[in-house]
Amino acid sequence: MRKYVLSSPQWVVTRIVNPATLDVWFSDDKAVLDVKRGGTSTSYRLIAQTQGFLDITELELPVAASDLAGSDPITVLDFNDRRMLWSVTNRILHITLTLPGDGTFAATVTLPGSSDYWSVSGSFKPFPVVSAADAAYIDNMIAQKYVPYPNVPEEPGKTDSEIRELGRRFFPWSPHSYELAMCVYDWTTASFMRMVLFKIFQYTSVPHAPPPSPLDLSSISRMIWESNWDSYQPQNTAYMHSFMMHPASSQRDVDTQLARVFPELYRFSEVQNRLLSAAVHALPRTCTVARPYLFSGQVDIRQMGMSRFGAELREFPGNAGPVGRPLEIEFAAAVASFLKPGSVVTTKACWSFTDREADARHYSNGILLVAEPPDPDDSASLVWDAPGYVTELSNGAEKIEWVFPPGSRFRVLSVEQDGGIQAIRLRVVPPTARAQVADAEKAPSADSHAEKNTDWQDALRTALVAEKTMLGAEASRAVVHAVRATIPILARVPRGEPPKVDHVRANTTYGRRCRCVEKQQGCAWYSKLYTYVISVWRSLVLMQ
């Protein structure tokens, strides 16, 4: 057995008891056995063929919680919400995993040189369903050059072989790993507009309407026509090709073409969103201690305006039709009704978030979303279970992005004016959470997790004093309360640090990939335009 020396707790999988001879991978693309992993506030995803996902998360309990038992800092090791804890310094934890092949696992942890051991057992998180027909459809779209979006000059992009390799890394359990990776990659290009429009502008609550939901085609056509962001405009061949159309010279032209292609285009969007959602579900999770808040600049597409933000939510009454009435509502009216504090809202499309509030403001078109993990009474998880971290599959290596899939639920904590932007504080609501709070007076405050009683402290103290290293349900949830109690509370929405590059907001900021002019270096298009204007000016001067 190898010897390891380190200054902070880490762990190594040294053995796997695998009677079913299952293929096993880690999503970090390193060997499964005898590789050091871990460190505080980290989470690694193990994937077992036909079984599912095992997220192994490590964190150090805050000092305040450790003081409950008067002990040294306490390490928590979490296996899909089954956790154990102890004081370990300058030691490595050795893990033996047992995979019987029935959807369960057992983990035994030992310390080198010690006869002590600790065990937990639980179930794998299931794989998402991926339809072979959906994957074949995307293959056809790739062959017809609809996927991925071509020629994104401001980003380096990835080659087809790079996308295939990333698919094998993140989705080795699926025969459709390439298609899953491609749909994530395409989402990070201008194709996101197609994938958003055909979800947002669905009448999702029309009585007795068979699936798929009817569409607000006039609004979709208008959004396509009014795009005026760099090359993404209706006169551009690549942009219109992404909508299965030809360059258009008028709104009526877009209307006519959309009426002809929308059935296939709608199917295209639905298939791609299904595969994107499956991929997001399968990507590694992020520890909530490492990223306690996520931020999103909305609306995704500037020409939508704030009056269409409400249409992004299933609770919008306009989703019931009548078909043909535009799906829009004034922002103030939405906040006064289904978007008021205390309400639970459900997304119709994917939402993208980043970990820097300043970046989200930079991409905002009037709205800033601030999301926090579920209330500890609703979820005992130490990771962000809903969103997937997609940056490694992105067409831009510096796009730090988490994606919440369609159907994600949030409780509205507050809606406030902040620096010219409407800031909406949200808390994730897991599928198993308690019922919606309908009245604003009954709504939990944004700081309510700090106002809980001391029951969780008593449960954690009991476990620590009794030296219970393997935690029961009550003490396990107490760990989440202890962690959440030390997360900095956002008494107000912070402005954060400014972007790394000195940016100037351009008036033509259309969408989450905003156009920025770097003062010192300048964008390529800006430099070319400047050179052209100067040359014309000089020619005119010489002619005089």
Side-chain angles (χ1 to χ4, degrees):
M1 184 176 294
R2 297 184 183 181
K3 300 290 185 180
Y4 298 95
V5 179
L6 70 163
S7 58
S8 61
Q10 285 185 289
W11 50 268
V12 173
V13 177
T14 56
R15 183 182 178 216
I16 295 183
V17 180
N18 187 6
T21 63
L22 303 168
D23 288 331
V24 181
W25 310 267
F26 267 107
S27 59
D28 61 5
D29 206 28
K30 297 179 181 178
V32 173
L33 297 176
D34 298 325
V35 172
K36 287 187 291 185
R37 293 182 171 90
T40 187
S41 304
T42 59
S43 188
Y44 290 80
R45 173 154 280 191
L46 180 138
I47 307 162
Q49 176 193 16
T50 73
Q51 303 298 290
F53 308 113
L54 172 57
D55 294 324
I56 305 177
T57 307
E58 180 185 340
L59 58 85
E60 185 177 295
L61 275 185
V63 174
S66 300
D67 286 346
L68 293 174
S71 64
D72 294 328
I74 297 170
T75 295
V76 178
L77 199 58
D78 179 286
F79 299 82
N80 280 2
D81 298 340
R82 303 302 302 272
R83 53 190 64 119
M84 55 182 76
L85 55 82
W86 55 81
S87 279
V88 179
T89 56
N90 298 318
R91 304 287 293 277
I92 192 105
L93 308 175
H94 288 185
I95 299 175
T96 297
L97 293 175
T98 301
L99 312 179
D102 60 356
T104 66
F105 68 86
T108 301
V109 180
T110 60
L111 292 172
S114 171
S115 60
D116 294 334
Y117 67 91
W118 303 267
S119 297
V120 295
S121 59
S123 299
F124 280 93
K125 297 178 180 180
F127 292 132
V129 175
V130 179
S131 162
D134 283 353
Y137 184 87
I138 290 299
D139 284 334
N140 185 41
M141 293 297 100
I142 294 171
Q144 296 187 58
K145 307 298 184 184
Y146 290 120
V147 176
Y149 192 97
N151 305 324
V152 184
E154 66 270 23
E155 299 293 353
K158 287 181 170 61
T159 64
D160 188 80
S161 60
E162 288 174 326
I163 296 170
R164 285 184 184 276
E165 184 57 37
L166 286 167
R168 284 190 287 267
R169 171 183 166 185
F170 288 111
F171 317 114
W173 50 273
S174 173
H176 312 300
S177 60
Y178 169 63
E179 293 82 3
L180 290 168
M182 181 61 81
C183 286
V184 177
Y185 175 80
D186 202 35
W187 164 260
T188 68
T189 73
S191 290
F192 89 93
M193 187 171 174
R194 175 186 65 244
M195 300 166 73
V196 165
L197 292 180
F198 279 81
K199 296 299 284 187
I200 290 175
F201 291 111
Q202 292 182 17
Y203 297 95
T204 53
S205 302
V206 174
H208 312 301
S213 301
L215 293 173
D216 178 4
L217 286 174
S218 62
S219 292
I220 294 175
S221 178
R222 181 179 174 185
M223 296 302 101
I224 294 172
W225 168 251
E226 291 184 354
S227 180
N228 186 24
W229 162 51
D230 286 351
S231 63
Y232 312 110
Q233 47 189 296
Q235 293 77 34
N236 181 269
T237 300
Y239 170 75
M240 292 300 286
H241 183 72
S242 72
F243 294 101
M244 297 183 167
M245 293 189 271
H246 301 293
S249 58
S250 66
Q251 175 74 72
R252 179 174 295 182
D253 190 0
V254 177
D255 291 342
T256 301
Q257 292 192 67
L258 183 60
R260 185 178 68 252
V261 304
F262 89 85
E264 191 63 31
L265 194 55
Y266 193 5
R267 181 188 178 193
F268 182 16
S269 171
E270 290 293 279
V271 168
Q272 197 166 20
N273 271 289
R274 283 197 295 268
L275 289 178
L276 173 62
S277 298
V280 165
H281 178 84
L283 287 169
R285 304 295 94 176
T286 302
C287 182
T288 55
V289 177
R291 297 293 185 274
Y293 299 100
L294 297 176
F295 306 89
S296 179
Q298 293 288 332
V299 288
D300 263 351
I301 302 163
R302 182 177 178 177
Q303 62 265 33
M304 284 177 56
M306 292 176 61
S307 66
R308 293 183 180 85
F309 178 74
E312 299 191 28
L313 304 171
R314 286 185 172 272
E315 289 70 21
F316 171 43
N319 289 321
V323 176
R325 177 185 293 171
L327 288 173
E328 57 182 303
I329 180 174
E330 289 301 319
F331 185 78
V335 172
S337 54
F338 62 92
L339 195 57
K340 66 182 178 182
S343 300
V344 172
V345 294
T346 311
T347 62
K348 292 162 73 174
C350 287
W351 273 1
S352 286
F353 284 75
T354 186
D355 60 351
R356 299 185 71 248
E357 180 269 344
D359 288 344
R361 281 184 181 272
H362 184 65
Y363 287 94
S364 169
N365 289 302
I367 298 171
L368 173 69
L369 304 181
V370 182
E372 63 180 62
D375 188 292
D377 290 334
D378 286 338
S379 171
S381 180
L382 296 176
V383 298
W384 287 91
D385 279 317
Y389 181 64
V390 304
T391 295
E392 291 179 275
L393 284 160
S394 174
N395 75 327
E398 296 187 2
K399 287 181 187 172
I400 305 302
E401 183 175 358
W402 284 260
V403 173
F404 282 85
S408 296
R409 301 169 69 221
F410 300 87
R411 192 179 304 278
V412 180
L413 301 180
S414 65
V415 183
E416 304 170 358
Q417 180 80 17
D418 187 80
I421 288 178
Q422 295 288 341
I424 305 176
R425 298 276 296 277
L426 302 169
R427 179 176 293 156
V428 174
V429 177
T432 56
R434 59 182 181 269
Q436 172 175 337
V437 177
D439 298 326
E441 292 78 9
K442 299 179 182 179
S445 71
D447 305 333
S448 61
H449 66 268
E451 301 166 0
K452 299 288 185 183
N453 58 37
T454 59
D455 290 348
W456 66 266
Q457 296 181 0
D458 295 337
L460 188 57
R461 182 184 292 108
T462 299
L464 295 174
V465 170
E467 297 183 350
K468 291 183 178 180
T469 55
M470 294 160 286
L471 302 185
E474 188 176 5
S476 184
R477 194 174 297 275
V479 169
V480 186
H481 276 285
V483 169
R484 294 292 299 279
T486 63
I487 291 175
I489 295 173
L490 295 179
R492 59 176 294 281
V493 178
R495 291 189 176 278
E497 297 296 323
K500 296 178 182 178
V501 181
D502 191 8
H503 291 82
V504 177
R505 282 290 294 273
N507 291 328
T508 51
T509 303
Y510 283 84
R512 58 194 171 97
R513 291 156 188 77
C514 72
R515 175 193 294 176
C516 304
V517 179
E518 299 176 13
K519 284 183 178 178
Q520 303 300 324
Q521 298 177 358
C523 296
W525 69 268
Y526 186 82
S527 300
K528 291 179 180 178
L529 177 61
Y530 177 80
T531 302
Y532 174 74
V533 171
I534 293 298
S535 65
V536 171
W537 176 78
R538 285 176 176 171
S539 299
L540 292 174
V541 170
L542 290 175
M543 288 175 64
Q544 292 178 353

